[in-house]
């Protein structure tokens, strides 16, 4: 159940202990809730401070949207696929499988030498119309077409990952986390810069909360680019799913796959609550409408959950997007070493070097506690534990 945080223009409904929320994050939430366009704010149990708007925040606005409440990785999200395999079907040398995945999917700043053939991405059509839409995007990104085309099907860095997991029955799953790559970031930052300069945003307590309002050319332009980038992110994940499925089949040829589960967790959706049409931004939150399947990952050494939404309107039918960070990347690098990372990821085939220490499990909140805090938002379908983790 949620706690109602008072003191703002609209109530803040929080699925976390308010005393555990950073002061910076709490100030952000109050700043958001005081905006004149905001209908309501819901806060997920993985809440933490973010640029402009709080990660783990769900903001419902009337006739307005804040680009910072979406985030710079527009459309970032998760995909998961259950396979026909069980643990005993996997090779003894999981390093071979990890290397095969890493050879199929570029990580970090990497990109494909040539664009992935869309024919490999079964069940996803409309590619010609999608790329035709690139020419209508913000003029500042037009020279990035080739890079955007070759980054479809690439992972990125930071907290993005590809995993091979086992559920509690020993079934093998594939799971991945990524978004709209560089093109989404470029679009987001350009529109944020435009929003900050608009007169109606002049007196905001935080200029990063600048909004676009309905009926303006700036809003029209942002919505066009936003929804294109969300589509890009979904196509990026679908392409990676196809590549990772083939990588697994290269190692275990008899593998077959269930239908993929996929969900955004940095995005905007047009939804109706209290009889009002709203623009709902989820920055670090998934949609959890009644029956919606979602994915809530933990850290690279703990585990993740497949969940089903319960349709709780109090949260604007939302749930958390993961465990959420409990400390910054900078602090994690100061506190922990590569040896600590190796100890905390024991039993997982993954990088264990200083380059990913900022992703150490101890830098994240306890995923089981996060799930327990939202039992009125989602029900657990499956619990997964990774045996292979690919990081950027």
């Amino acid at each position: 159940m949620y706690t109602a945080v008072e003191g703002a223009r609209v109530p803040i409904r929080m699925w976390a202990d308010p005393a555990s929320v950073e002061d910076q994050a709490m100030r952000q939430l109050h700043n958001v809730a005081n905006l004149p366009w905001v209908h309501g704010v819901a806060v997920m149990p993985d809440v933490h401070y973010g640029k402009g708007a709080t990660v783990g925040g769900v903001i419902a606005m009337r006739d307005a949207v804040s680009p910072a409440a979406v985030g710079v990785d527009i459309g970032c999200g998760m995909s998961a696929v259950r396979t026909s395999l069980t643990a005993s079907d996997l090779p003894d040398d999981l390093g071979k499988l990890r290397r095969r995945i890493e050879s199929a999917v570029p990580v970090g700043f990497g990109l494909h030498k040539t664009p992935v053939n869309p024919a490999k991405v079964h069940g996803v059509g409309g590619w010609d119309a999608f790329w035709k839409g690139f020419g209508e995007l913000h003029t500042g990104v037009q020279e990035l077409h080739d890079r955007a085309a070759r980054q479809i099907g690439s992972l990125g860095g930071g907290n993005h990952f590809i995993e091979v997991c086992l559920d509690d029955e020993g079934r093998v799953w594939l799971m991945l986390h990524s978004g709209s790559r560089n093109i989404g970031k470029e679009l987001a930052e350009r529109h944020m810069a435009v929003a900050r300069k608009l007169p109606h945003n002049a007196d905001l307590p935080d200029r990063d909360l600048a909004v676009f309002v309905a009926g303006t050319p700036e809003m029209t332009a942002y919505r066009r680019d936003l929804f294109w980038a969300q589509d890009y992110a979904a196509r990026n994940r679908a392409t990676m799913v196809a590549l990772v499925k083939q990588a697994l089949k290269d190692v275990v040829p008899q593998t077959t796959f269930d239908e993929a589960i996929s969900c955004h967790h940095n995005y905007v959706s047009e939804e109706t609550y209290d009889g009002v049409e709203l623009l709902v931004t989820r920055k670090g939150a998934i949609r959890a409408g009644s029956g919606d399947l979602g994915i809530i990952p933990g850290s690279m050494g703990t585990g993740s959950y497949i969940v089903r939404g319960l349709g709780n309107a109090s949260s604007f039918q939302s749930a958390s997007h993961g465990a959420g960070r409990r400390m910054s990347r900078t602090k994690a690098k100061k506190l922990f070493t590569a040896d600590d990372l190796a100890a905390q990821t024991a039993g997982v085939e993954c990088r264990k070097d200083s380059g990913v220490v900022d992703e150490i499990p101890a830098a994240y909140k306890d995923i089981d506690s996060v799930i327990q805090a939202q039992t009125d938002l989602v029900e657990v379908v499956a619990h997964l534990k990774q045996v292979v983790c690919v990081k950027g």
Side-chain angles (χ1 to χ4, degrees):
M1 296 295 291
Y2 67 85
T3 298
V5 179
E6 306 296 339
R9 192 184 63 80
V10 299
I12 301 169
R13 297 190 287 267
M14 184 173 292
W15 277 260
D17 178 3
S20 70
V21 180
E22 314 139 280
D23 290 343
Q24 280 181 301
M26 193 61 81
R27 283 195 296 272
Q28 284 185 323
L29 293 169
H30 277 274
N31 286 341
V32 165
N34 284 325
L35 295 178
W37 307 276
V38 172
H39 180 80
V41 178
V43 184
M44 301 299 101
D46 58 343
V47 57
H48 59 94
Y49 174 78
K51 182 174 174 56
T54 317
V55 179
V58 181
I59 304 168
M61 287 192 180
R62 297 181 306 276
D63 299 322
V65 66
S66 170
V70 180
V72 294
D73 192 358
I74 299 171
C76 187
M78 300 283 305
S79 293
V81 182
R82 191 174 72 165
T83 79
S84 59
L85 305 180
T86 62
S88 61
D89 296 316
L90 292 174
D92 292 335
D93 179 11
L94 291 176
K96 177 182 178 181
L97 177 55
R98 176 186 156 203
R99 290 188 294 274
R100 182 66 194 87
I101 293 171
E102 289 173 338
S103 69
V105 178
V107 302
F109 294 105
L111 63 169
H112 292 278
K113 292 181 180 179
T114 59
V116 175
N117 184 348
K120 291 184 177 181
V121 191
H122 302 293
V124 180
W127 287 93
D128 288 344
F130 168 72
W131 283 116
K132 184 178 179 181
F134 191 97
E136 301 172 0
L137 301 178
H138 192 290
T139 56
V141 305
Q142 290 305 308
E143 74 280 6
L144 300 177
H145 184 283
D146 177 67
R147 181 175 181 178
R150 293 193 291 135
Q151 282 194 317
I152 285 270
S154 66
L155 184 64
N159 61 356
H160 294 164
F161 62 80
I162 300 169
E163 290 182 343
V164 180
C165 305
L166 302 177
D167 66 21
D168 292 341
E169 284 72 50
R171 287 286 291 270
V172 176
W173 291 66
L174 302 177
M175 187 167 66
L176 59 86
H177 172 212
S178 191
S180 53
R181 305 296 285 111
N182 176 257
I183 189 64
K185 172 181 177 292
E186 292 287 341
L187 287 168
E189 290 180 345
R190 281 169 168 77
H191 285 288
M192 286 177 181
V194 171
R196 290 188 196 103
K197 297 176 182 177
L198 295 174
H200 62 258
N201 293 318
D203 297 325
L204 294 179
D206 181 351
R207 293 300 294 275
D208 284 330
L209 283 177
V211 305
F212 294 118
V213 295
T216 65
E218 293 86 2
M219 173 68 117
T220 299
Y222 177 63
R223 284 168 62 99
R224 176 198 64 214
D225 292 4
L226 168 76
F227 290 124
W228 185 91
Q230 289 179 184
D231 191 12
Y232 181 102
R235 290 170 183 273
N236 181 40
R237 287 194 297 275
T239 302
M240 278 190 286
V241 165
L243 296 173
V244 177
K245 285 165 64 174
Q246 185 58 55
L248 180 57
K249 284 180 68 69
D250 290 344
V251 178
V252 190
Q254 72 269 25
T255 312
T256 60
F257 304 91
D258 290 352
E259 186 176 349
I261 301 165
S262 190
C263 57
H264 290 319
H265 55 224
N266 280 16
Y267 76 114
V268 176
S269 179
E270 298 170 333
E271 301 175 18
T272 300
Y273 296 94
D274 306 319
V276 181
E277 293 183 3
L278 301 167
L279 287 169
V280 179
T281 57
R282 297 182 174 94
K283 181 178 181 178
I286 62 172
R287 178 171 169 81
S290 182
D292 289 345
L293 289 174
I295 308 162
I296 303 179
S299 67
M300 64 187 288
T302 53
S304 301
Y305 287 87
I306 307 297
V307 298
R308 182 180 293 109
L310 299 177
N312 191 328
S314 297
S315 70
F316 300 107
Q317 300 189 82
S318 305
S320 76
H321 83 311
R325 294 193 71 92
R326 58 185 290 264
M327 67 179 68
S328 69
R329 295 182 182 280
T330 300
K331 184 175 181 180
K333 289 178 180 178
K334 288 180 179 178
L335 286 179
F336 300 105
T337 66
D339 288 341
D340 296 322
L341 176 65
Q344 293 184 29
T345 57
V348 180
E349 172 59 44
C350 64
R351 286 179 61 184
K352 301 177 190 287
D353 57 85
S354 60
V356 290
V357 165
D358 55 337
E359 283 292 295
I360 193 168
Y364 284 85
K365 297 177 183 179
D366 176 61
I367 183 61
D368 294 326
S369 298
V370 167
I371 293 295
Q372 187 59 39
Q374 53 188 325
T375 54
D376 58 334
L377 305 183
V378 294
E379 61 183 1
V380 172
V381 173
H383 169 248
L384 310 182
K385 176 67 174 73
Q386 67 271 75
V387 292
V388 176
C389 178
V390 172
K391 300 288 288 188

